[in-house]
Amino acid sequence: MTKETTTFVTQEKLPPELVERDQWVCWRSEKRDGKQTKIPVVPGEGSFASSTDPDTWSDFETALDFVTNRNADGIGFVFTEDDPIVGVDLDDCRDPETGDVDDDAQDIIDRLDSYTEVSPSGTGYHVLIKGELPDGRNRRGHIELYDTARFFTVTGDRVSDTSGHVKRRQDALEAIHREYVQLHSENKDPERDEHTSVRDDAKTTPTIDLEDDELLKKAKNASNGPKFERLWNGNSAGYDSNSEADMALCCLLAFWTGGDTKQMDTLFRQSGLLRAKWDEVHYADGSTYGEKTIERAIQATSEYYDPSPRNESTQSKLETEPVTADLDIDEPNRQNAYLVEKNQLLSTRVSELEATIKQKDERIAELESQLEDLVADPSGQSDEDDRGQGQRTGGTEDNSDNTSLLSRTRRLFSGNSE
């Protein structure tokens, strides 16, 4: 277990953008519900502090003195609506012994390019920037973003090659929020198979209740079955580390079990990826590596297998096509499949419209032919006597014939429109 130690910070180690603000609290590490928790306390007093009550905050010097005199374990900076500072919390992404960093965390640190420090546990990072937090959810898996009503522990253990100042990084913040936090959090795909259920609330998961053998059979027969089987057999090829392979298998298990932590743990222990590390305590809250991996996999999964299809005739097909948020399914391919089907529907509609237009054209040609006949023979008679009679009746009957022609033409076109 990584032990958190009292952190002594000096003003020189911290960005002046933080030190100059009277938004500091202290914290103590206490065990609550069996887990170590950082409790904010009022600098100089020791009573409980609140991240929403400015009366419980102080200036930097007061907070530092309280920690220096060993009345608290560390100091923390409170985010408010009145400051432009945003905190990016990257948890469980650093090996405290070797200093190795997850690729995602390193990518975020590099792109934000602002003040970054190691967290008290040594297993994560805090990045502080200036900007405005985009709308939408503020956490996904091991990444959390805060800009108000929250405090960050501050260690001053700045990561080398990162800035000593809090820099404005709005564009990078929006891109990271979109790619790492918002991605898959809102299902915008109009085409969803009937064996996929969506978790509407982050704390709610469906009940699937598949026996282990049946679940494994379905998982291996799915469209991404080869990947599942490789991981199940302990093959981590294609992953930069065993931890990434562990996470990938747990995401697959989360989909098929509906986020059932007990069944996920039972199944993982049957896989070829199981190592002694699975049961080792690696986190300050007392969590084992396996417990935290399962927890992160569930947080990263927003869609689950649905064993009750609405259309039984498509059951066998759908069981081979599970869709999850984090199972390495190629999103462009899914979008392409949707566009292909949409184009097919549009093509069918165009064909129907072309057939309708052809019928209209034929009807118009028929009407034009009838009109030509009427113009050539307004009375509808063909013998010369009748035509002569028409000439002898004078202009009144000519007008009557013209009126009759107009009325008949109107009736023809009126009938067509109806």
Side-chain angles (χ1 to χ4, degrees):
M1 175 177 177
T2 302
K3 182 180 180 181
E4 294 184 4
T5 57
T6 301
T7 305
F8 294 102
V9 186
T10 62
Q11 181 172 333
E12 292 73 22
K13 292 182 178 180
L14 298 178
E17 296 89 345
L18 301 184
V19 174
E20 66 187 17
R21 295 181 177 274
D22 296 340
Q23 297 170 210
W24 294 90
V25 295
C26 296
W27 57 268
R28 294 195 187 103
S29 181
E30 296 182 6
K31 181 172 288 189
R32 293 194 173 183
D33 297 327
K35 295 183 178 181
Q36 291 297 130
T37 304
K38 298 180 182 65
I39 306 299
V41 296
V42 179
E45 297 181 12
S47 57
F48 290 122
S50 170
S51 57
T52 60
D53 183 1
D55 291 339
T56 63
W57 312 339
S58 75
D59 57 79
F60 172 76
E61 289 78 9
T62 301
L64 183 61
D65 287 344
F66 201 61
V67 174
T68 303
N69 293 327
R70 298 185 181 278
N71 293 311
D73 296 323
I75 61 175
F77 180 82
V78 182
F79 301 105
T80 74
E81 294 180 350
D82 298 328
D83 67 60
I85 300 175
V86 177
V88 181
D89 186 10
L90 306 176
D91 195 18
D92 305 334
C93 59
R94 179 181 184 272
D95 188 321
E97 298 178 0
T98 65
D100 292 340
V101 187
D102 289 354
D103 289 344
D104 288 350
Q106 189 63 60
D107 176 56
I108 292 172
I109 292 172
D110 292 342
R111 291 164 67 179
L112 291 177
D113 188 25
S114 186
Y115 176 80
T116 304
E117 64 176 30
V118 178
S119 64
S121 66
T123 62
Y125 298 96
H126 290 162
V127 187
L128 295 167
I129 63 173
K130 292 179 181 178
E132 296 181 2
L133 187 60
D135 293 335
R137 65 184 301 160
N138 69 329
R139 61 181 298 171
R140 164 68 68 180
H142 64 283
I143 302 171
E144 300 180 28
L145 310 174
Y146 297 100
D147 64 349
T148 187
R150 181 70 179 245
F151 83 94
F152 259 13
T153 57
V154 176
T155 64
D157 186 7
R158 181 165 64 91
V159 176
S160 59
D161 299 327
T162 64
S163 175
H165 293 272
V166 179
K167 295 186 176 181
R168 177 162 291 279
R169 291 286 184 261
Q170 184 64 34
D171 290 344
L173 174 62
E174 292 178 358
I176 287 169
H177 180 263
R178 181 175 59 253
E179 296 171 22
Y180 285 95
V181 180
Q182 281 293 95
L183 186 63
H184 302 300
S185 68
E186 297 179 2
N187 174 48
K188 299 180 181 179
D189 184 2
E191 297 296 319
R192 184 176 306 285
D193 68 49
E194 299 176 18
H195 270 284
T196 302
S197 62
V198 183
R199 181 176 61 185
D200 295 325
D201 184 90
K203 297 180 181 179
T204 303
T205 55
T207 300
I208 294 179
D209 196 24
L210 287 177
E211 295 295 333
D212 291 353
D213 292 342
E214 183 181 2
L215 185 152
L216 291 174
K217 180 179 179 181
K218 289 181 179 294
K220 292 178 181 179
N221 288 332
S223 59
N224 57 356
K227 171 190 172 181
F228 179 90
E229 197 154 10
R230 286 195 303 272
L231 291 169
W232 180 257
N233 292 331
N235 185 347
S236 60
Y239 295 91
D240 292 338
S241 67
N242 289 330
S243 296
E244 290 185 15
D246 295 342
M247 184 65 176
L249 179 57
C250 283
C251 283
L252 288 164
L253 293 175
F255 172 82
W256 289 106
T257 64
D260 185 327
T261 57
K262 183 176 180 180
Q263 189 174 23
M264 288 174 65
D265 180 69
T266 299
L267 288 168
F268 190 93
R269 292 178 184 279
Q270 301 174 35
S271 76
L273 290 179
L274 180 65
R275 295 170 288 155
K277 180 180 179 180
W278 187 254
D279 292 314
E280 294 176 0
V281 176
H282 275 241
Y283 302 94
D285 63 3
S287 299
T288 64
Y289 167 78
E291 290 171 341
K292 188 64 71 173
T293 301
I294 288 176
E295 177 185 333
R296 290 173 58 189
I298 293 173
Q299 290 176 342
T301 304
S302 60
E303 300 175 3
Y304 298 93
Y305 171 72
D306 184 354
S308 303
R310 291 184 296 274
N311 186 350
E312 295 182 359
S313 64
T314 60
Q315 181 169 349
S316 60
K317 174 180 180 294
L318 294 172
E319 285 181 352
T320 65
E321 300 175 359
V323 181
T324 69
D326 297 278
L327 300 188
D328 263 2
I329 292 177
D330 191 356
E331 186 68 18
N333 285 343
R334 291 176 57 194
Q335 292 295 332
N336 184 61
Y338 163 66
L339 291 175
V340 169
E341 182 173 352
K342 185 174 182 180
N343 287 336
Q344 290 174 346
L345 293 174
L346 290 174
S347 297
T348 301
R349 181 57 178 158
V350 169
S351 298
E352 292 174 351
L353 292 174
E354 289 177 343
T356 301
I357 292 173
K358 183 178 180 181
Q359 292 176 355
K360 295 291 184 181
D361 289 341
E362 292 175 351
R363 180 59 175 160
I364 291 172
E366 179 183 348
L367 292 172
E368 289 177 342
S369 177
Q370 293 180 18
L371 180 59
E372 290 176 359
D373 292 342
L374 288 171
V375 172
D377 184 11
S379 67
Q381 297 176 353
S382 59
D383 56 85
E384 292 294 332
D385 292 341
D386 288 341
R387 283 199 298 272
Q389 181 65 30
Q391 292 173 357
R392 288 192 296 272
T393 61
T396 301
E397 293 190 11
D398 286 342
N399 290 337
S400 176
D401 288 339
N402 290 336
T403 301
S404 176
L405 170 61
L406 180 59
S407 298
R408 293 161 66 183
T409 302
R410 284 176 176 171
R411 285 198 300 272
L412 285 170
F413 279 100
S414 176
N416 179 57
S417 65
E418 291 175 354

